Amino acid sequence: MKKISKKIMSTLMAFMLLLTLIHIGTPATAAAEKAKIPDGTYPVSFNYLRDNTEIISAADQFIEKNTGQLIIHNGQATFEHKVKSSFHPTFAFFGIRNTGASKAIINGQSVTGKDGYTSAVIKQAENPGFVTYQFAIEDIWSKQDILMHINDENNIFGLPEIYNNWYNTQLELRVDLIDFSTPPKNDDDTDDNLLVSLELFNERVAAGQNLYENSQEGDSDGLYPPGSRQQLQDSIITAENLVATNSGSEELLKAAYTIVDQAIKKFKSLQIVVDKSKLIEWITEATSWLEDAKDGGETETGIPSNPLFVPVTAGEYPVDTSTIPPSGSAQKALLAIAEAQALVNNPLATQLEVNALYLTLKTSFKWEDLNKKRYVAVPATLLILDSVEDNAQLSTIANEISTSATIIQSKEDPYYEGFANITFIDPENKLNVSDIKSAAPDARTGSFAIRASSGEPSFSSTARPLVTAASTENNKTFQVPVRSHNPDNLQTDEKWQGFTVLRYSESATPSERKIVYISFNGDQLNELNQLITEAQQFHNQAVAGAEPGRYPAVEKTKLQEAINSAKIVGEKLASPRPAILTATKDLKLAFETFKNAQVTGTPTNPNPGPGSGSGPGSPGNTANPVYPADGSYLMSYRILKDGTNETSIASTYVVNTALVTVSGGSKTVSFTVKRSAEITGLTLNGSSGSITESDTENNTRVVTFTLSDLSSKIDAWVKVDWASIGYHHEYDIQFKFDESSARFAGANPSVPGGNGNTGAPPGLELPGTEAGKPDGENDDESEAEKEEDSKGKDNKAKDNDGKKKDNDQNGTGVNKKPVSFKDIEKHWAKEKIAQAVQLGIVSGYSDNSFRPDGFVTRGEFAVMISKALKLKDNAEAEKANFHDSKNIPSWAQEHIARAVANGIISGFEDQTFRADDQLTRAQLAVIIARAANLELNNNLPLNFADAASIPSWAQKGVSAAVKAGLIQGKNNNKFDPLATATRAEALTLILRLLEAK
């Protein structure tokens, strides 16, 4: 079966509905028919339709559908219907468009043309549970434009958010179903005062005969029960015979008229009305659900596909691969909507058919259950291993795969279906993308099936698909199935091992295949090891004994046993997920049990250890302080992935208990960095803190920060340069201190993990890179360099400004060291980049890339031009102050101040600088024109094809910079003023500026 697109299906549905609106015997002209309508009140069917469509509007369900009445008086028509009193308050406006007035234009909550509508007359109905809406209609045969404002300010609908929207709808009156031959009566009795003539009798007989001939029997909508037509015909014949055999009798003539009249009314009352409202309501629900529903694979390919061969994306729904072709929830819903709409449009549909389909659809499509299966993105930290054995180590080629991955899995399901997006770092485009194969392990044992012929895992014959939405030129992401969708093999975290294995090769050497084992358990293993460290530290500081504040020796032994057991799992990089989760659960229980085992009462020991803090402290019998009173405390903390509550891999690089000293409301926090040589940059709340201890042999250092508040997450940044595994990365993190864990640390506390050796650790003699700044773009001379110079440890020559000169043999201040970045070899600005780097204007990143086409920010460009022009501090520079100064990175502050003081760059009207905003080409041209002191002339022409799009404030600057040859246009004679400037463009303009000076 061919797949049916949503657009085609919508067209078919609209066409089917249109067919039902074509009625035999529709009046030739509205005016002709209107003149024939006698005064009276006629019951009338009606629909509210979506604007300019044949689809029932959602507003239709708020109207009482069987209460429509068409009132004709002296040739003028009025229509009315009832609304439940409970819904009435939600109609903030309900009006019909006046003849000749323009249709209202709705733009959000703004409506133009409302004055062209007459509001409905609203009156209390006889039934206190209803309100009557009434308005005049000029042409009952045409659709009427209705303007509605539904504002559920009291949330009668019970939705998560207040429903408040304007709508254009159209009212359709089914006047073609009304018998206008005789004025309607208020009851079923014939008027006793009615003067019946033979002509009037014959007209009524003709009406009955016409109704008989044009009606059909059956059980569908608009038909009549079997046998009812014959009853009508029998009554007509009886009446005609009565008149024929008793001609001249007025009483018998009237009786005969009554027989026909009552027979007609009874027959009409028997007309079958199939209630399709529930089915229509389901169609509305399904259509709403379908608006943002996609099946797996649609984001990547546009059509639902087998997720084993096409990447799935968060927000999509699983695809049923047991069908041919595979089908998904969205596609099934689309087909079901078409089936339901077809039945709604079918005039021969029976109530039994409608009810049966409605029951089937309600059972098959439970929106809440479907949404639980919807894919969500779950971040995961990968361990790139050389095996999954107990002695597994990080693979020697681990640097070729990013440790950050995303698992696409069902949101809430009794069993998981999961696909992992794994990214290969491929800046030189060497990867053979058609050779990425994976092999899944046994779900319960984690072992891989091995092919005897090769001794390798049994890899899939299908190459893993490229995720185009997540891939870049340098990083290519592939999707690998990692969790089964088999309900007989529940892939919960308690059973999923968390492994896969990948085989890949490079295009140049396709036969030389590489194999890496992937563990998705990095975050779980990190959490376990963090808990082990915290529990061990608590255990070591706890004092055994029977006195209050101490802990029973037997409980200390139990906790140590639990810690040792957890270490067996935590020390193995290839520990499976169930083992990690079990170890974590068991250790948490043992840890809490130990804490609760503390001996209570009033301690007599002056130093009870990490207890509750009650009782005497240091000699003198003064009470131990309780946090946050002044004193020193041991406090647990976690390092989180930025913007989440998930533990960051950075937590493994530190000891997770800090020493917090409180003094006068200020808090000094000290903790130990376990990977001192590898952690080359670390900031908390924008500060680099200070190094108070270091241990070269053990590769640790103690860092100290002053913080005002520990109650909320603290923004931080870390830079890792792990040369042995080729890992160079910097990223944002957050520190979360657990103030509830604070316990008095004693009179002479020490930092957990520290050893008291002072001095800078290896690798930190040179200044690090600050948060948010490209590697190497440091200020001319950092405080660390100045301190090193004062100690006589820097043998490099300095120029007159006190700046270092690398490879500067001629005293020119230019670094002639060759420049080589892996991503500029074929770039148009290669020579300019090398020149700018040698001049010290700009530098590259820690991964040996320059990123020439990366966007440049206002702050970065201010630093570049300040360095290029060697701007100096002055009194005006000290005055530079913006409302968002606290958001300006420290490495850019003085350069921005210099550039502002020299009139080269300025802030915005709201007194902000917006250092992180990307720089546009128009802004770039104006800044360069100012820096070059170019004359700004109104008469300079702008001959670009898009000259009109250049902002007025930038036109003089652009003209001057173009005339001076400092900036040029792009292809097709366009300047593209609002395009974002790149790093290559920015430094090229700066070099032209220097050449022109």
Side-chain angles (χ1 to χ4, degrees):
M1 183 184 72
K2 295 184 179 179
K3 297 181 177 65
I4 304 175
S5 70
K6 295 179 183 178
K7 183 175 181 181
I8 294 175
M9 185 59 71
S10 298
T11 303
L12 290 174
M13 289 161 56
F15 178 71
M16 288 187 291
L17 185 58
L18 181 62
L19 292 177
T20 66
L21 301 178
I22 302 175
H23 304 288
I24 298 175
T26 299
T29 66
E33 286 297 325
K34 192 172 181 180
K36 299 178 182 178
I37 301 176
D39 285 359
T41 299
Y42 301 87
V44 61
S45 297
F46 64 95
N47 292 309
Y48 281 101
L49 307 175
R50 295 184 188 180
D51 191 32
N52 293 322
T53 74
E54 304 299 336
I55 301 174
I56 302 297
S57 169
D60 201 67
Q61 61 185 302
F62 301 127
I63 310 299
E64 292 303 300
K65 295 292 291 180
N66 60 347
T67 62
Q69 292 195 106
L70 181 64
I71 304 169
I72 306 296
H73 182 69
N74 294 331
Q76 299 298 317
T78 301
F79 171 70
E80 68 176 32
H81 62 66
K82 292 180 175 59
V83 175
K84 285 184 179 179
S85 300
S86 57
F87 287 144
H88 167 60
T90 67
F91 287 101
F93 182 81
F94 198 110
I96 186 170
R97 182 162 67 95
N98 300 330
T99 302
S102 299
K103 183 181 290 189
I105 299 174
I106 301 171
N107 184 11
Q109 293 301 316
S110 175
V111 179
T112 303
K114 176 184 172 184
D115 294 342
Y117 290 73
T118 298
S119 297
V121 176
I122 300 173
K123 56 185 180 180
Q124 184 64 47
E126 299 82 4
N127 188 325
F130 295 92
V131 174
T132 298
Y133 282 52
Q134 187 182 81
F135 33 80
I137 295 180
E138 183 169 335
D139 182 4
I140 63 174
W141 305 101
S142 301
K143 293 178 182 177
Q144 311 297 313
D145 286 332
I146 304 295
L147 179 64
M148 295 184 187
H149 180 197
I150 301 178
N151 182 10
D152 185 17
E153 56 186 357
N154 295 320
N155 201 13
I156 294 172
F157 302 150
L159 301 175
E161 296 182 4
I162 297 300
Y163 194 84
N164 184 11
N165 287 293
W166 286 86
Y167 291 100
N168 276 316
T169 61
Q170 289 183 305
L171 170 65
E172 175 193 48
L173 300 179
R174 296 301 303 272
V175 291
D176 54 321
L177 301 179
I178 301 176
D179 178 12
F180 290 119
S181 62
T182 304
K185 300 294 182 179
N186 292 328
D187 51 49
D188 290 336
D189 297 326
T190 305
D191 187 351
D192 291 338
N193 297 321
L194 179 66
L195 297 177
V196 178
S197 62
L198 185 60
E199 181 181 6
L200 183 59
F201 170 77
N202 289 334
E203 288 180 1
R204 198 58 177 151
V205 168
Q209 193 63 35
N210 181 65
L211 185 59
Y212 170 80
E213 292 172 356
N214 290 284
S215 60
Q216 294 181 359
E217 293 182 351
D219 52 3
S220 303
D221 197 26
L223 303 185
Y224 296 85
S228 59
R229 292 180 70 248
Q230 187 59 52
Q231 290 179 2
L232 174 62
Q233 180 71 353
D234 290 345
S235 296
I236 294 174
I237 293 173
T238 298
E240 286 181 320
N241 290 336
L242 184 62
V243 171
T245 56
N246 297 278
S247 59
S249 173
E250 294 182 0
E251 290 184 1
L252 291 178
L253 181 61
K254 185 174 182 179
Y257 177 90
T258 301
I259 291 173
V260 175
D261 183 62
Q262 293 297 323
I264 291 174
K265 291 176 179 178
K266 180 180 179 181
F267 183 73
K268 285 183 177 181
S269 69
L270 295 176
Q271 188 178 35
I272 295 172
V273 178
V274 176
D275 184 3
K276 301 177 181 179
S277 60
K278 290 292 185 181
L279 196 56
I280 293 171
E281 181 181 344
W282 183 89
I283 293 174
T284 302
E285 290 177 359
T287 303
S288 176
W289 178 84
L290 198 59
E291 285 180 356
D292 65 345
K294 291 182 179 180
D295 287 323
E298 282 197 56
T299 301
E300 287 284 329
T301 64
I303 58 173
S305 302
N306 190 330
L308 295 177
F309 306 105
V310 177
V312 298
T313 306
E316 294 180 339
Y317 289 83
V319 171
D320 183 0
T321 58
S322 64
T323 62
I324 300 177
S327 59
S329 300
Q331 186 184 37
K332 290 177 181 178
L334 186 65
L335 295 173
I337 291 173
E339 181 183 5
Q341 190 65 63
L343 192 61
V344 168
N345 298 338
N346 183 4
L348 301 179
T350 68
Q351 190 68 58
L352 185 62
E353 292 172 331
V354 171
N355 292 346
L357 181 58
Y358 172 73
L359 181 61
T360 299
L361 296 177
K362 288 292 287 187
T363 304
S364 302
F365 294 89
K366 297 180 179 179
W367 311 121
E368 184 176 346
D369 290 345
L370 281 175
N371 289 336
K372 290 180 181 179
K373 297 179 182 292
R374 194 173 191 176
Y375 290 130
V376 295
V378 179
T381 299
L382 305 185
L383 297 173
I384 317 299
L385 308 176
D386 57 9
S387 74
V388 289
E389 305 301 326
D390 287 348
N391 61 349
Q393 299 296 318
L394 291 177
S395 172
T396 57
I397 54 175
N399 61 319
E400 296 182 7
I401 298 176
S402 173
T403 57
S404 297
T406 301
I407 296 180
I408 309 298
Q409 66 182 36
S410 299
K411 183 178 180 181
E412 295 178 33
D413 211 1
Y415 52 91
Y416 287 100
E417 176 182 35
F419 304 88
N421 288 350
I422 300 176
T423 300
F424 285 76
I425 302 170
D426 186 30
E428 298 180 7
N429 201 27
K430 292 182 178 180
L431 195 64
N432 184 359
V433 297
S434 64
D435 193 36
I436 311 294
K437 304 290 181 67
S438 68
D442 181 90
R444 291 182 172 83
T445 66
S447 61
F448 293 87
I450 303 297
R451 284 201 177 114
S453 58
S454 63
E456 294 181 353
S458 180
F459 293 99
S460 169
S461 61
T462 305
R464 302 275 45 98
L466 179 71
V467 185
T468 57
S471 296
T472 64
E473 183 178 356
N474 294 336
N475 298 322
K476 297 178 179 63
T477 300
F478 295 84
Q479 191 163 99
V480 177
V482 294
R483 280 186 159 175
S484 170
H485 192 271
N486 182 0
D488 297 326
N489 183 13
L490 302 183
Q491 293 284 282
T492 61
D493 271 350
E494 289 72 24
K495 294 183 179 180
W496 182 50
Q497 303 298 301
F499 298 128
T500 193
V501 61
L502 296 180
R503 187 189 71 189
Y504 63 100
S505 63
E506 295 181 354
S507 299
T509 56
S511 61
E512 298 178 8
R513 287 169 169 161
K514 306 175 184 181
I515 295 178
V516 290
Y517 292 82
I518 307 292
S519 168
F520 298 95
N521 303 324
D523 292 320
Q524 291 73 21
L525 195 62
N526 178 43
E527 182 182 354
L528 173 60
N529 285 319
Q530 178 182 334
L531 179 62
I532 290 172
T533 299
E534 183 181 353
Q536 188 67 69
Q537 291 172 353
F538 195 96
H539 172 278
N540 294 346
Q541 293 163 7
V543 178
E547 295 184 352
R550 299 190 175 188
Y551 297 82
V554 65
E555 296 299 333
K556 283 200 69 175
T557 300
K558 289 180 180 179
L559 177 59
Q560 188 61 60
E561 290 174 350
I563 293 172
N564 294 340
S565 178
K567 283 182 178 179
I568 295 174
V569 178
E571 291 173 353
K572 296 177 183 178
L573 292 179
S575 288
R577 181 165 294 194
I580 298 172
L581 296 180
T582 299
T584 302
K585 179 181 177 182
D586 291 346
L587 183 54
K588 282 182 177 179
L589 178 61
F591 196 5
E592 288 301 316
T593 300
F594 179 72
K595 289 179 180 179
N596 294 332
Q598 184 184 35
V599 180
T600 59
T602 303
T604 58
N605 189 305
N607 192 9
S612 63
S614 61
S618 57
N621 290 329
T622 57
N624 286 345
V626 177
Y627 183 84
D630 286 1
S632 296
Y633 306 87
L634 294 174
M635 184 183 298
S636 301
Y637 68 94
R638 295 170 60 207
I639 300 179
L640 308 176
K641 294 180 181 180
D642 187 38
T644 75
N645 287 318
E646 298 179 31
T647 302
S648 167
I649 192 68
S651 268
T652 61
Y653 305 149
V654 298
V655 175
N656 297 109
T657 299
L659 178 66
V660 179
T661 301
V662 182
S663 178
S666 176
K667 299 177 179 67
T668 302
V669 177
S670 300
F671 56 87
T672 299
V673 177
K674 295 191 295 187
R675 285 283 183 180
S676 185
E678 288 78 17
I679 305 302
T680 56
L682 180 65
T683 66
L684 268 75
N685 203 28
S687 169
S688 298
S690 60
I691 301 169
T692 52
E693 299 179 17
S694 69
D695 184 345
T696 303
E697 182 177 353
N698 292 316
N699 193 23
T700 65
R701 72 177 183 268
V702 174
V703 290
T704 300
F705 298 85
T706 300
L707 302 168
S708 59
D709 181 21
L710 303 183
S711 62
S712 57
K713 295 178 183 178
I714 298 172
D715 291 336
W717 166 86
V718 65
K719 184 171 185 288
V720 184
D721 289 294
W722 202 324
S724 62
I725 64 172
Y727 182 80
H728 300 279
H729 195 47
E730 55 184 272
Y731 47 92
D732 292 329
I733 52 179
Q734 290 180 305
F735 275 64
K736 183 68 176 72
F737 290 88
D738 182 6
E739 292 185 292
S740 66
S741 70
R743 53 195 185 276
F744 180 56
N748 298 299
S750 61
V751 179
N755 69 347
N757 295 329
T758 60
L764 287 189
E765 290 86 357
L766 296 178
T769 302
E770 297 189 50
K773 182 179 180 184
D775 180 57
E777 287 189 8
N778 300 301
D779 295 342
D780 296 322
E781 187 174 22
S782 71
E783 290 299 320
E785 287 176 308
K786 293 177 182 177
E787 179 181 355
E788 186 173 328
D789 292 340
S790 67
K791 295 179 180 179
K793 294 183 180 180
D794 189 354
N795 296 320
K796 296 180 181 179
K798 296 182 180 179
D799 60 21
N800 294 333
D801 294 327
K803 299 180 177 64
K804 299 177 185 178
K805 298 179 290 182
D806 298 322
N807 300 309
D808 180 7
Q809 305 299 323
N810 302 316
T812 61
V814 177
N815 177 5
K816 295 301 184 181
K817 183 179 179 180
V819 176
S820 177
F821 296 108
K822 61 186 180 183
D823 56 351
I824 68 170
E825 283 302 313
K826 297 182 180 180
H827 198 274
W828 61 267
K830 175 183 177 182
E831 294 182 1
K832 297 294 184 183
I833 293 170
Q835 184 181 355
V837 171
Q838 290 173 337
L839 288 172
I841 297 172
V842 71
S843 63
Y845 292 80
S846 59
D847 62 353
N848 192 35
S849 67
F850 184 79
R851 307 177 194 175
D853 296 321
F855 299 137
V856 65
T857 66
R858 286 168 50 80
E860 289 171 344
F861 188 67
V863 173
M864 290 181 191
I865 202 164
S866 172
K867 289 182 177 181
L869 300 179
K870 298 181 179 180
L871 300 179
K872 306 296 182 184
D873 289 333
N874 55 41
E876 291 299 320
E878 294 179 357
K879 295 179 182 178
N881 187 25
F882 297 99
H883 292 335
D884 60 347
S885 292
K886 65 179 181 180
N887 296 329
I888 298 176
S890 58
W891 52 265
Q893 289 176 356
E894 65 180 69
H895 290 291
I896 290 174
R898 293 171 187 171
V900 171
N902 283 273
I904 295 174
I905 195 169
S906 60
F908 292 85
E909 292 180 356
D910 60 357
Q911 296 303 306
T912 60
F913 185 79
R914 307 178 194 174
D916 291 332
D917 279 11
Q918 295 172 355
L919 199 68
T920 66
R921 282 173 49 82
Q923 292 173 333
L924 191 62
V926 171
I927 295 172
I928 287 294
R930 291 175 180 172
N933 293 319
L934 299 179
E935 180 182 355
L936 304 183
N937 191 331
N938 286 326
N939 297 323
L940 292 178
L942 281 171
N943 296 321
F944 294 107
D946 58 348
S949 65
I950 298 175
S952 57
W953 55 264
Q955 290 180 358
K956 293 181 182 180
V958 172
S959 298
V962 171
K963 181 180 179 182
L966 297 178
I967 194 169
Q968 301 170 349
K970 293 186 175 183
N971 294 336
N972 300 321
N973 191 33
K974 290 186 177 181
F975 184 75
D976 204 3
L978 301 182
T980 306
T982 66
R983 283 165 56 84
E985 288 176 329
L987 65 87
T988 299
L989 262 65
I990 290 175
L991 292 175
R992 288 177 184 166
L993 172 65
L994 295 179
E995 292 168 358
K997 278 188 171 290

